[in-house]
Amino acid sequence: MWRCVVFFSLAWVANGQLLLAPGSKQAVEMARYFDSDLNAVEKESGKLTCAIRPYPARLSFNFQFWTGYDVIVPAIQFAKRGRERPMVIALQVTPRGGGKERSFMFQRAGLPRRIPTKFWETKGVEFTLGGGFVVGPGKYDVALLLADSSGRVCHKSWSVEGKKIDISTQVAPGTVAESGLESWKGIAGGQGKLSVYVHAAPIMRRRIMTKLSPWDRNLLLSSLTSLLNAGGYGEARVTVFDFDGRRVLFESENFGPADYDRLVDVLRDLSFGTVSLKTLQGPNEISFLEGLMRKEVEQKEAGNAVVFLGPSWRWGDKISPLLREQRAQLPSAF
């Protein structure tokens, strides 16, 4: 049980997914876990039922290979114990060949809050945790260990590859780094103003969809920051919306680093699990889009370009005459 005590003492150093410094006390403690028999750890501490689903390494628009995982956990396991504190996730990532050292990452895994007690007592109810990191070209072995606050654990190992490409990436071959989405320095400089409308929805539709996956968040945020970094504009007006829910999630007239931090939290906490009565009674999708464009057209300071960013929404009614009229009043749109 000593392993679990040390494991949770590390939890307080991690806010978000943290890449531990090589040779640090935390990294040394983490290495002791992964050098031991994880099956024995599970037997000693108790088994936590979970399904760990890795993502392949995918090249993001900021030229980094992003990879990650979802962890699906049945809620009924926590009806009597294990939800007193956040769960914790530990990762070991080992590059193959080249003598590169293995890397360790650590994060807290928040449990659902402000929900009925019956949530924890109902069979078939699950919640999903997840995370991600970036790698350079090359092959890597990954091991993940998840533990709840009562010490129960589950684990999985897999391999991932960032395939060699003909252009240089931001992360060197055989290198592991944090996701890169934790911070953004802001627009470097340019001229004019850009309006960006971000559709916050999963890139690939799923039969059951309650949250944006780590990959969805990575793709939306890296696309947005890459656009702002390379677009050549001096300012950006950013609006983030949920088309199915007909709601505006985030607005910033002059998007900067503080707004970016706020947007990261909005996308992480976004839930599609319920639809409000107001949405069902309110405007349809076309009317919602007309409202967004009306606000854009009526801006006192017109932008130089408008970009719609994100996955396409499902086919619905044809574009209305009002939307055609509004489109004619917009600057260049992409």
Side-chain angles (χ1 to χ4, degrees), residues 4 7-17 30 46-52 69-79 81-91 105-113 119-120 125-130 144-155:
C4 297
F7 198 54
F8 276 93
S9 71
L10 293 175
W12 304 108
V13 308
N15 187 12
Q17 187 154 283
M30 196 67 64
K47 179 177 176 58
L48 185 68
T49 300
C50 72
I52 300 172
Y69 53 88
D70 285 332
V71 183
I72 297 89
V73 187
I76 198 169
Q77 298 176 99
F78 301 89
R81 63 178 178 133
R83 66 178 195 266
E84 294 78 16
R85 290 183 291 171
M87 294 192 291
V88 289
I89 298 175
L91 281 172
M105 278 171 279
F106 202 83
Q107 69 169 325
R108 302 177 196 174
L111 294 168
R113 297 176 294 175
F119 173 88
W120 304 105
V125 174
E126 300 174 329
F127 59 91
T128 302
L129 311 168
L144 182 149
L145 182 66
L146 169 73
D148 70 2
S149 62
S150 68
R152 295 176 297 179
V153 301
C154 70
H155 63 91

Side-chain angles (χ1 to χ4, degrees), residues 32 56 63 90 103 142 154 156 169 197 235 249 300:
R32 294 174 65 189
F63 296 102
S103 298
V142 183
C154 70
K156 183 181 178 70
T169 59
Y197 288 85
E235 297 180 46
L249 305 169
K300 293 182 179 179

Side-chain angles (χ1 to χ4, degrees), residues 199-211:
H199 182 209
I203 305 304
M204 293 180 288
R205 294 287 182 173
R206 299 173 178 83
R207 184 171 61 87
I208 299 175
M209 176 189 67
T210 59
K211 302 283 288 184

Side-chain angles (χ1 to χ4, degrees), residues 48 99 230 251 289 308-309:
L48 185 68
E251 290 182 289
L289 187 56
F308 292 88
L309 181 64

Side-chain angles (χ1 to χ4, degrees), residues 36 39 44 64 78 119 133 145 201 220 235 241 273 286 303:
S36 62
N39 289 318
E44 174 191 351
Q64 296 177 338
F78 301 89
F119 173 88
F133 53 96
L145 182 66
L220 289 172
E235 297 180 46
F241 64 95
I286 292 295

Side-chain angles (χ1 to χ4, degrees), residues 35-312:
D35 287 340
S36 62
D37 184 346
L38 294 184
N39 289 318
V41 174
E42 182 179 84
K43 184 176 180 180
E44 174 191 351
S45 304
K47 179 177 176 58
L48 185 68
T49 300
C50 72
I52 300 172
R53 299 175 182 171
Y55 288 88
R58 295 165 169 160
L59 189 65
S60 299
F61 286 103
N62 54 0
F63 296 102
Q64 296 177 338
F65 282 108
W66 183 93
T67 185
Y69 53 88
D70 285 332
V71 183
I72 297 89
V73 187
I76 198 169
Q77 298 176 99
F78 301 89
K80 296 182 179 179
R81 63 178 178 133
R83 66 178 195 266
E84 294 78 16
R85 290 183 291 171
M87 294 192 291
V88 289
I89 298 175
L91 281 172
Q92 173 185 263
V93 186
T94 307
R96 292 185 188 176
K100 296 273 188 176
E101 291 187 4
R102 56 183 171 171
S103 298
F104 299 98
M105 278 171 279
F106 202 83
Q107 69 169 325
R108 302 177 196 174
L111 294 168
R113 297 176 294 175
R114 296 193 296 267
I115 57 174
T117 304
K118 288 185 177 180
F119 173 88
W120 304 105
E121 300 172 348
T122 304
K123 292 183 179 180
V125 174
E126 300 174 329
F127 59 91
T128 302
L129 311 168
F133 53 96
V134 296
V135 296
K139 295 182 178 180
Y140 304 81
D141 294 314
V142 183
L144 182 149
L145 182 66
L146 169 73
D148 70 2
S149 62
S150 68
R152 295 176 297 179
V153 301
C154 70
H155 63 91
K156 183 181 178 70
S157 298
W158 67 92
S159 60
V160 67
E161 180 181 6
K163 295 184 178 180
K164 186 176 180 180
I165 54 178
D166 293 334
I167 58 176
S168 60
T169 59
Q170 290 193 19
V171 181
T175 302
V176 180
E178 294 174 353
S179 69
L181 299 179
E182 292 79 10
S183 62
W184 176 63
K185 296 180 180 179
I187 297 176
Q191 296 182 342
K193 190 163 189 175
L194 177 68
S195 288
V196 186
Y197 288 85
V198 181
H199 182 209
I203 305 304
M204 293 180 288
R205 294 287 182 173
R206 299 173 178 83
R207 184 171 61 87
I208 299 175
M209 176 189 67
T210 59
K211 302 283 288 184
L212 289 177
S213 72
W215 166 246
D216 293 323
R217 298 197 304 271
N218 176 277
L219 193 57
L220 289 172
L221 290 169
S222 65
S223 300
L224 175 61
T225 55
S226 295
L227 172 65
L228 299 181
N229 290 340
Y233 291 91
E235 297 180 46
R237 178 189 302 117
V238 176
T239 302
V240 181
F241 64 95
D242 166 22
F243 197 61
D244 287 339
R246 275 93 80 187
R247 53 181 174 164
V248 173
L249 305 169
F250 173 93
E251 290 182 289
S252 173
E253 183 64 26
N254 191 357
F255 192 75
D259 301 297
Y260 174 82
D261 293 341
R262 185 163 57 93
L263 178 56
V264 170
D265 293 336
V266 168
L267 294 181
R268 183 191 61 223
D269 297 336
L270 176 60
S271 173
F272 304 105
T274 58
V275 177
S276 71
L277 181 62
K278 183 178 179 182
T279 296
L280 296 176
Q281 294 174 333
N284 59 24
E285 294 172 342
I286 292 295
S287 297
F288 173 72
L289 187 56
E290 289 173 348
L292 286 180
M293 293 302 94
R294 183 181 302 110
K295 189 173 182 180
E296 177 66 31
V297 169
E298 293 175 353
Q299 289 285 344
K300 293 182 179 179
E301 181 184 352
N304 300 92
V306 178
V307 173
F308 292 88
L309 181 64
S312 59

